[in-house]
Amino acid sequence: GEEVDARLRQIMTGIHQAARSAAAEFGRPDNYVLGANIAGFRKVADAMIELGVWSPNDEKSPENGAFFP
């Protein structure tokens, strides 16, 4: 019902804001596809770092040819 609709609206508003903000950060404020891709990548990367799957300072970082410990 109404609670589900309200929660969905909140989620969609957050997605829209994240996409618009990311696109604007890269000089393309009206490119929602670019913004959504950047925002989605960041969300996954942040989760990987938080879970310890990858660390920017890890010797097993992608720059060294490894994605997982």
Side-chain angles (χ1 to χ4, degrees):
E2 290 181 30
E3 289 180 34
V4 172
D5 290 344
R7 180 66 180 131
L8 180 58
R9 179 173 294 279
Q10 182 182 28
I11 291 168
M12 294 304 293
T13 298
I15 291 169
H16 176 268
Q17 290 173 345
R20 176 106 177 162
S21 175
E25 182 181 343
F26 283 80
R28 306 283 300 276
D30 295 323
N31 190 333
Y32 288 97
V33 173
L34 175 70
N37 284 332
I38 293 168
F41 173 83
R42 285 178 170 166
K43 190 167 191 138
V44 170
D46 288 345
M48 290 175 69
I49 291 168
E50 186 174 322
L51 292 170
V53 175
W54 182 78
S55 169
N57 301 317
D58 191 340
E59 64 184 34
K60 295 180 180 178
S61 69
E63 296 86 35
N64 295 325
F67 280 96
F68 302 98

